[in-house]
Amino acid sequence: MIFEQLVKESPLAIYTCDASGRVTFFNAAAATLWGREPDLLKDYWCGSWKIFYPDGRPMELDSCPMALTLKNGKPFNGEEIVIQQPNGVLRSLLVYPSPVFDEKKILLGAYNTLVDITDKKSNDEKHEILSAIVESSDDAILSKGLDGIIKSWNAGAQKIFGYTEEEVLGKHITILIPPALISEEEVIISNIKAGKKIDHFHTVRLHKDGHEIEISLTVSPIKDAFGNITGASKVARDISELKKAERLAYQFAKRQTLLNSIGITISEKLDVKEILQKVTDATTEITGAAFGAFFYNTFDETGESFMLFTLSGAPREVFEKFGMPRNTAIFHSTFSGEGIVRLDDVTKDPRYGKNAPHYGMPAGHLAVVSYLAVPVISSSGDVIGGLFFGHPEAGIFKAEHEEILASVASQAAVALDNSKLFEEVMALSEKKDEFIALASHELKTPLTSLKGYLQMLQKEKGSKTSEFFVEKSLKQLDRLGSLVGDLLDVSKVEAGQLQFNFDFFDLHKTIEDILETFRYNTTSHIISFTGVEEQLMVYGDQQRIEQVIINLFNNAIKYSPHAQQVFVSLEVNKDQAIVIVKDNGIGLSKQQQKGIFKRFFRAEGVAHIAGLGLGLYISKEIIDRHQGSFIVKSEVGVGSEFGFTIPLKTNDIQTILTM
Ligand code: ADP
């Protein structure tokens, strides 16, 4: 009874049939495989199955294990077949048909046990596919125990690290890690023990032959059936090529930036030294040279040395040992403008080492093996000089460097030509300044005498006409005196020799005094004074501050020909006195305001008004030297406010005293 139940409920399909193959018994699992319950003694064992060999070829019913057992009376011990069920599903089965005989050995029928191995097969297949993927992957895929011992190793790992599977299995993972990075392994293992995955970690590992490989590493914990972490799987991708491409891209971007910076310096600067230093620095960096230098094509008295001008990457002393690069065969071709010379190994060049006294590089000089020299030729065809680069290793400079340097050298040549012109202009302008300084100084003496004589004449009683002309002459003489004074001041400012005598003085009183003179001499405008009404002590050069205020008054009057009033105010803000002179005159545009502190600046349309364009230039210098600031507000056709601030005596006098 128990056996019957066992057979009926067994998960294995079991059935029996008679000698003709008709089903005589079946259990539930067999019915499931057939897709329905067969009619006993009517339906055949093969139901409506289609049967195949495991490789997929169709199998004749006569050739099936069960048919053969019924035919030959021989059992099968686990033959694999594939059946297609009525619903179309394929199942892999191991079949065990066995014949049943009576006492006379007459075949009565057979029984069969069918083991469904479909799921196991698909797992095996999956496993096979996965193994094939692992084996064919270009990435290194390996596993190790928590003790770091390597347990598996694919073909990709062999390709990347150079070891065969036999060589590494059982070895410690540290054979792949550069000594300096050994501590990484501890971090990786502690992460793995904590069940954490490490994703795309960029690091370096060692090839069997010792060279370093840049890799991207992903490490995941391996768990056993109970969920315990037993080791780690590692996928390492060789990213050396990627990194190389990244570095190339970076180098390219850096080179572009350097070339841009050369371009900017060349177009903006007119200083030869600055241009050449920038060009030498940037080209040394671009070419990867150990040092670079620019030599002028000028000879010394002995007629055989060139002049070192700028140097990059090496201290000047190392060149001093060498003296100047002499007129050697190798240098000669650059200075005669024959073109770029690029040598992978200068010491192997037939021209090298032929010249006394050094015969090659002098002892103590920088070792030069790679050599690159580019002539810098001006528009007139003269060789201005040459850029020279050196490196102690061979083969550093490449053809691409020649192209870049040729273009930089021609840009530099244009810039040098321009700066030469600029220097000539500057030299001329310096001469002009010298002349102004000298002339104004020389004019001052006769002016002073002339004024003295006229003042003496003024005291004498003369005719009305002569008194009138003496007074006019004195006024004109004052104007001439102040123009000459301005010219003299300008040359002093330029030479940094404008003298100041600092002391305490009352700014309120100073303005009052100036106003008095102006009110006496000016009939066109009324000057009103507002703000502080008492003594206001400031620390500065009283005469120079007077000069600034007079200039502002004069301008306010001069540049407001149709107005009748000029306003002056004196205010105090914190520790500063503020003087503002306001007019309702012609005003200045924003653009014009930018130029007013420049020497000889005059706005358009004021040519009919007397002036040299020096007053504000000198005033600004005076206020700057007092640590004050200039105030300008102006609008065309509305008027202007010109003013300045000056520190009160309470301010930090010390800073002014030490100026
Ligand atoms: P100058 O008055 O001798 O020309 P300044 O240096 O004092 O020289 O002034 C420079 C220029 O600034 C003047 O030529 C004039 O164009 C402009 N400027 C100065 N002050 C005023 C003002 N108050 N209103 C309009 N323009 C002015």
Side-chain angles (χ1 to χ4, degrees):
M1 198 55 206
I2 295 173
F3 284 119
E4 196 181 327
Q5 197 176 346
L6 173 74
V7 171
K8 277 189 175 158
E9 292 176 11
S10 166
L12 301 177
I14 298 168
Y15 69 86
T16 60
C17 59
D18 61 16
S20 67
R22 280 182 238 266
V23 178
T24 51
F25 167 83
F26 62 91
N27 70 354
T32 310
L33 275 187
W34 278 311
R36 67 176 175 85
E37 292 197 354
D39 280 343
L40 291 180
L41 298 169
K42 255 174 117 185
D43 286 335
Y44 285 92
W45 63 270
C46 46
S48 51
W49 293 338
K50 279 184 190 151
I51 302 177
F52 303 88
Y53 290 97
D55 62 9
R57 279 176 299 125
M59 188 186 266
E60 295 294 326
L61 267 185
D62 295 349
S63 317
C64 286
M66 183 51 142
L68 292 174
T69 298
L70 290 173
K71 193 169 152 198
N72 304 331
K74 296 238 168 71
F76 282 85
N77 192 18
E79 193 69 13
E80 188 178 344
I81 61 165
V82 175
I83 58 159
Q84 188 174 29
Q85 295 176 289
N87 60 4
V89 172
L90 292 171
R91 300 216 146 259
S92 293
L93 305 177
L94 288 179
V95 295
Y96 299 82
S98 240
V100 180
F101 300 99
D102 64 7
E103 305 91 65
K104 290 178 193 149
K105 305 261 189 253
I106 306 265
L107 186 80
L108 293 176
Y111 63 89
N112 200 357
T113 311
L114 312 166
V115 181
D116 189 341
I117 56 165
T118 316
D119 292 345
K120 180 175 176 303
K121 276 211 60 130
S122 81
N123 272 342
D124 287 353
E125 261 169 31
K126 264 192 219 155
H127 195 254
E128 266 170 35
I129 291 169
L130 279 177
S131 305
I133 292 173
V134 167
E135 258 330 281
S136 61
S137 169
D138 280 340
D139 293 341
I141 302 174
L142 54 128
S143 64
K144 63 176 183 188
L146 286 178
D147 53 2
I149 300 297
I150 299 170
K151 290 185 169 164
S152 69
W153 187 257
N154 74 340
Q158 176 168 345
K159 210 163 114 202
I160 292 177
F161 299 112
Y163 294 99
T164 63
E165 191 175 4
E166 296 79 62
E167 283 172 319
V168 290
L169 288 192
K171 296 264 167 56
H172 200 270
I173 192 80
T174 45
I175 59 166
L176 303 177
I177 305 180
L181 300 180
I182 283 292
S183 58
E184 272 182 13
E185 182 58 12
E186 284 167 32
V187 180
I188 291 174
I189 289 290
S190 64
N191 270 283
I192 289 303
K193 281 183 179 160
K196 287 189 200 143
K197 189 180 174 200
I198 293 165
D199 253 331
H200 305 301
F201 169 55
H202 285 197
T203 182
V204 173
R205 290 294 179 258
L206 287 179
H207 187 271
K208 182 180 171 186
D209 67 15
H211 82 263
E212 292 190 339
I213 320 151
E214 286 174 282
I215 59 160
S216 161
L217 193 63
T218 297
V219 192
S220 318
I222 298 177
K223 295 180 182 167
D224 65 12
F226 305 103
N228 301 317
I229 293 163
T230 56
S233 70
K234 291 192 171 202
V235 179
R237 173 161 297 180
D238 184 348
I239 52 168
S240 310
E241 287 302 314
L242 187 82
K243 287 275 167 194
K244 212 160 109 192
E246 265 177 27
R247 274 194 288 273
L248 271 179
Y250 172 73
Q251 267 174 8
F252 182 75
K254 195 165 147 199
R255 180 179 292 175
Q256 283 310 107
T257 317
L258 280 170
L259 286 175
N260 273 347
S261 70
I262 296 182
I264 291 170
T265 310
I266 284 178
S267 62
E268 281 183 354
K269 308 283 182 206
L270 284 164
D271 179 64
V272 179
K273 173 105 194 166
E274 223 175 309
I275 294 173
L276 284 175
Q277 190 64 55
K278 181 80 201 177
V279 167
T280 315
D281 287 346
T283 46
T284 302
E285 204 175 334
I286 288 174
T287 53
F291 69 86
F294 176 83
F295 286 92
Y296 260 121
N297 189 13
T298 359
F299 301 90
D300 69 1
E301 319 74 63
T302 65
E304 63 160 345
S305 292
F306 301 101
M307 196 174 95
L308 173 64
F309 195 66
T310 52
L311 187 59
S312 187
R316 228 152 231 276
E317 304 86 80
V318 291
F319 269 84
E320 266 150 25
K321 290 219 177 72
F322 191 29
M324 292 299 168
R326 302 171 49 265
N327 193 3
T328 58
I330 287 184
F331 268 80
H332 183 74
S333 57
T334 304
F335 286 111
S336 53
E338 278 164 30
I340 296 179
V341 179
R342 177 167 63 92
L343 300 170
D344 281 344
D345 187 346
V346 68
T347 61
K348 298 218 172 80
D349 192 273
R351 292 168 290 186
Y352 181 81
K354 295 281 185 291
N355 294 78
H358 299 301
Y359 301 101
M361 288 295 169
H365 184 268
L366 285 170
V368 178
V369 177
S370 287
Y371 172 89
L372 181 61
V374 188
V376 177
I377 304 170
S378 83
S379 55
S380 57
D382 297 335
V383 181
I384 307 173
L387 280 161
F388 294 82
F389 304 93
H391 198 285
E393 286 162 33
I396 295 292
F397 306 125
K398 305 279 181 301
E400 59 181 276
H401 295 138
E402 284 187 33
E403 278 171 39
I404 296 171
L405 287 182
S407 104
V408 171
S410 59
Q411 283 187 68
V414 173
L416 290 177
D417 276 350
N418 284 346
S419 72
K420 219 155 119 196
L421 277 177
F422 176 72
E423 271 166 17
E424 281 163 12
V425 172
M426 285 298 284
L428 268 181
S429 152
E430 268 166 33
K431 286 231 158 58
K432 186 189 73 196
D433 286 348
E434 267 171 41
F435 169 75
I436 292 174
L438 205 73
S440 39
H441 186 75
E442 291 302 317
L443 285 172
K444 197 110 194 161
T445 328
L447 269 178
T448 319
S449 323
L450 211 60
K451 193 170 177 178
Y453 300 144
L454 279 171
Q455 278 168 339
M456 277 159 69
L457 255 184
Q458 203 179 23
K459 283 182 197 136
E460 299 276 315
K461 197 94 194 99
S463 70
K464 275 259 177 286
T465 330
S466 65
E467 274 174 17
F468 174 78
F469 282 116
V470 165
E471 194 173 324
K472 280 254 171 228
S473 303
L474 270 170
K475 270 200 180 156
Q476 291 303 321
L477 208 58
D478 277 345
R479 275 195 62 198
L480 194 57
S482 96
L483 285 177
V484 171
D486 275 358
L487 279 175
L488 202 56
D489 280 350
V490 168
S491 46
K492 282 182 184 159
V493 169
E494 291 296 300
Q497 285 168 354
L498 197 63
Q499 295 295 321
F500 288 86
N501 298 312
F502 281 91
D503 207 344
F504 296 107
F505 69 92
D506 179 0
L507 185 57
H508 179 262
K509 170 92 176 35
T510 307
I511 298 175
E512 284 283 9
D513 290 349
I514 300 169
L515 274 177
E516 210 175 292
T517 334
F518 263 84
R519 281 177 184 141
Y520 178 72
N521 285 318
T522 314
T523 47
S524 59
H525 292 70
I526 298 166
I527 306 179
S528 56
F529 183 21
T530 55
V532 176
E533 286 177 358
E534 69 243 10
Q535 190 187 54
L536 184 66
M537 295 304 282
V538 293
Y539 188 78
D541 182 325
Q542 186 175 5
Q543 263 195 338
R544 291 289 180 197
I545 294 295
E546 268 175 22
Q547 188 180 348
V548 174
I549 299 170
I550 291 172
N551 181 40
L552 296 186
F553 279 1
N554 273 330
N555 282 352
I557 293 167
K558 270 198 303 189
Y559 300 111
S560 66
H562 304 297
Q564 285 83 42
Q565 251 190 311
V566 166
F567 310 86
V568 55
S569 68
L570 173 64
E571 305 285 347
V572 171
N573 181 14
K574 292 185 197 147
D575 48 4
Q576 287 186 320
I578 309 168
V579 178
I580 304 274
V581 180
K582 185 168 172 280
D583 64 64
N584 298 321
I586 58 174
L588 289 160
S589 68
K590 284 263 169 307
Q591 188 58 32
Q592 289 170 329
Q593 287 173 38
K594 285 185 192 156
I596 51 174
F597 296 118
K598 290 192 186 127
R599 273 199 308 174
F600 303 110
F601 172 86
R602 306 215 67 211
E604 315 77 81
V606 299
H608 61 287
I609 302 171
L612 283 180
L614 294 177
L616 288 178
Y617 170 78
I618 299 166
S619 300
K620 172 89 168 54
E621 172 75 12
I622 294 172
I623 296 304
D624 283 351
R625 294 282 297 272
H626 281 77
Q627 297 200 331
S629 49
F630 233 91
I631 301 160
V632 183
K633 273 190 213 158
S634 188
E635 202 178 320
V636 178
V638 176
S640 311
E641 277 182 46
F642 277 83
F644 61 88
T645 64
I646 173 174
L648 292 177
K649 72 166 184 143
T650 49
N651 202 21
D652 186 2
I653 289 165
Q654 204 50 42
T655 52
I656 301 172
L657 287 173
T658 52
M659 279 187 356

